[in-house]
Amino acid sequence: MPPHDHPLWRPYTQMKTAAPPLEAVRTQGSRITLADGRELVDGIASWWTAVHGYNHPHIAAAVARQLEAMPHVMFGGLTHAPAEQLARRLAALLPKGLDHVFFTDSGSVAVEVALKMAVQMWRNRGVAGRTRFLAFRGGYHGDTMGAMSVCDPDEGMHRRLGGYLPRQIVCDLPRSPAEASALDGTMAAHRETLAAVIVEPLVQGAGGMRMHPPETLAEIGRLARRHGLPLIADEIFTGFGRTGSLFACEQAGLVPDILCLSKALTGGTMALAATVATGEVFEAFWSDDPGAALMHGPTFMANPLACAAANASLDLFAGEPRLDQAGAIAARLAEGLAPLSRLPGVRDVRVLGAIGVVQFVRPPDLAALKQRFVERGTWVRPFGDIVYLTPALTIGTLDLDHLLESVRGVVHETLSA
Ligand SMILES: *Cc1c(COP(=O)(O)O)cnc(C)c1O
């Protein structure tokens, strides 16, 4: 019988067998303090959100001011300066053409909105039957229904929900010009039923930290354009400096039709997401017919506290050398992880921006690995067959070296066990 005295149900967790979670009581910079007084150097930045480190005073002050003035107000029929300002700033920072910003409260919902935008765009234009999506194996786009349907259907974590989800067209990411022609054929075969193509630019995050070169991304963009298919770029993981540029699409010179943001949008302080569309997409909803409007509107849409945090986070990107810091982290990760690539049990070591990945030949005992990292005073969360680091872009050299030392140590221990 399961216990009845503990009401918390935890994320992605087998409640029967998982080790109990550690209790965190404080964060600061790149450190997490536990209830028992231990301090961990954070290698994950809380699921890639805390790009400026924890408790950045500039963000904290902005949120505190907003809390005094107006913590929340409904977004139907009302607007407010934090949202107006944030929409303008995002449109100015994103690749040219992405000018229409729709706020929601989580990455999965930003993806849902992107999918709805694409489907309804075709309906509004009077084109019937375009309700499916072309997605890529190894992809991860979130945990809600539409988002789950465009994740990897076989290796992804939602495979038990198969019969419940809409069936999409799932392809391999091309690795060469020859493979790109296979994708060309698939697009040609399905174009009449496809609403859009969805991709995580440059790196598939939660699906296994798989990377592809900018040329591949540019080729996917070219093929989609050739077949008249809108492209949705899910930059929820890659946005805000993680891959070394502010947005990953920039590296391929790609302007998607729809782009999703969340994770680091508020600098890791608050739930907020955005789906940003080009004028061409927006135009399909511009009508005298109320039924042609985009039918979405979360209760906490454009929450003023979250928008204030996001504006403060953008101030930091403007005023502090975050992209240079990402570049410096990339160099240190490459140097620090390189020795592991020679080990027989290691399949691959790869780095892109502030993302460093070690992939094992065989999936390791994840619970044991997680425990070893904590024993070394670090917070690192391996999954599948990989150990990875995605630290805050502001992490100090000593803390980063501690993380690298800890990864090298744990990988060695794992392979010699
Ligand atoms: C995390 C993530 C999502 C889902 O975001 P949530 O805020 O967890 O719903 C979607 N797409 C990508 C690429 C992500 O990394």
Side-chain angles (χ1 to χ4, degrees):
M1 275 284 277
H4 295 286
D5 59 345
H6 196 262
L8 258 181
W9 199 339
R10 305 189 45 76
Y12 309 118
T13 301
Q14 175 42 265
M15 296 296 293
K16 184 173 182 189
T17 54
L22 304 173
E23 186 182 347
V25 289
R26 236 185 338 273
T27 50
Q28 186 64 47
S30 280
R31 306 286 182 95
I32 300 170
T33 306
L34 302 181
D36 62 13
R38 281 181 294 172
E39 200 175 66
L40 303 178
V41 176
D42 182 7
I44 306 301
S46 280
W47 276 335
W48 327 324
T49 61
V51 274
H52 313 290
Y54 295 113
N55 307 34
H56 197 290
H58 181 66
I59 299 179
V63 173
R65 272 195 308 277
Q66 188 59 43
L67 185 60
E68 287 268 297
M70 181 171 66
H72 185 64
V73 67
M74 66 184 283
F75 211 54
L78 294 172
T79 190
H80 49 78
E84 295 283 346
Q85 195 186 29
L86 181 58
R88 249 176 248 289
R89 291 175 81 175
L90 289 174
L93 287 171
L94 284 163
K96 204 167 158 48
L98 288 161
D99 290 335
H100 302 275
V101 182
F102 192 92
F103 289 116
T104 51
D105 41 22
S106 81
S108 300
V109 177
V111 170
E112 295 292 335
V113 168
L115 303 178
K116 277 171 85 167
M117 271 180 188
V119 167
Q120 198 181 336
M121 179 193 80
W122 291 111
R123 291 268 160 90
N124 285 359
R125 287 179 183 170
V127 179
R130 285 183 172 261
T131 53
R132 295 212 290 181
F133 292 88
L134 190 152
F136 293 98
R137 252 181 270 289
Y140 173 80
H141 296 285
D143 296 344
T144 53
M145 187 158 167
M148 284 195 288
S149 80
V150 287
C151 293
D152 189 310
D154 304 314
E155 287 183 35
M157 55 182 126
H158 307 306
R159 54 185 176 265
R160 293 212 174 194
L161 296 168
Y164 170 63
L165 301 176
R167 291 179 71 85
Q168 314 293 11
I169 309 295
V170 184
C171 299
D172 289 323
L173 263 171
R175 271 169 307 179
S176 62
E179 288 190 10
S181 71
L183 182 60
D184 191 31
T186 308
M187 285 186 189
H190 295 282
R191 54 181 288 175
E192 302 304 323
T193 62
L194 286 173
V197 175
I198 183 165
V199 66
E200 288 163 275
L202 300 189
V203 47
Q204 297 179 307
M209 298 286 169
R210 291 177 237 208
M211 298 163 184
H212 56 267
E215 296 72 38
T216 301
L217 179 61
E219 182 62 17
I220 293 169
R222 258 194 303 278
L223 290 174
R225 185 125 308 163
R226 164 129 51 93
H227 292 287
L229 296 170
L231 185 69
I232 301 169
D234 180 351
E235 291 238 21
I236 291 168
F237 171 43
T238 52
F240 303 104
R242 183 52 64 187
T243 66
S245 50
L246 194 56
F247 302 104
C249 285
E250 294 170 17
Q251 295 184 41
L254 178 78
V255 183
D257 300 274
I258 300 174
L259 185 143
C260 301
L261 297 170
S262 187
K263 295 236 159 74
L265 175 57
T266 64
T269 52
M270 209 105 51
L272 183 68
T275 308
V276 190
T278 59
E280 215 176 319
V281 173
F282 183 75
E283 204 186 350
F285 295 81
W286 184 260
S287 162
D288 293 320
D289 173 11
L294 180 62
M295 284 300 161
H296 207 96
T299 307
F300 281 93
M301 182 167 180
N303 171 254
L305 290 172
C307 289
N311 278 311
S313 175
L314 293 184
D315 294 343
L316 295 174
F317 275 101
E320 296 184 8
R322 284 297 171 271
L323 300 184
D324 294 342
Q325 289 168 316
I329 291 170
R332 208 146 188 113
L333 287 172
E335 192 190 322
L337 297 176
L340 296 175
S341 67
R342 291 191 289 273
L343 299 177
V346 169
R347 169 163 300 174
D348 188 34
V349 170
R350 49 187 181 266
V351 172
L352 174 67
I355 308 165
V357 183
V358 181
Q359 185 177 9
F360 292 98
V361 172
R362 268 187 303 276
D365 175 351
L366 293 173
L369 252 71
K370 288 173 184 166
Q371 176 64 25
R372 290 206 178 101
F373 279 113
V374 171
E375 282 161 9
R376 287 171 178 266
T378 51
W379 185 242
V380 179
R381 304 287 288 170
F383 68 90
D385 56 359
I386 65 165
V387 169
Y388 75 95
L389 294 176
T390 49
L393 303 180
T394 52
I395 192 169
T397 309
L398 288 178
D399 278 354
L400 184 54
D401 286 348
H402 183 175
L403 286 169
L404 284 163
E405 179 69 45
S406 161
V407 168
R408 285 191 299 264
V410 170
V411 168
H412 275 285
E413 279 166 30
T414 303
L415 293 177
S416 61

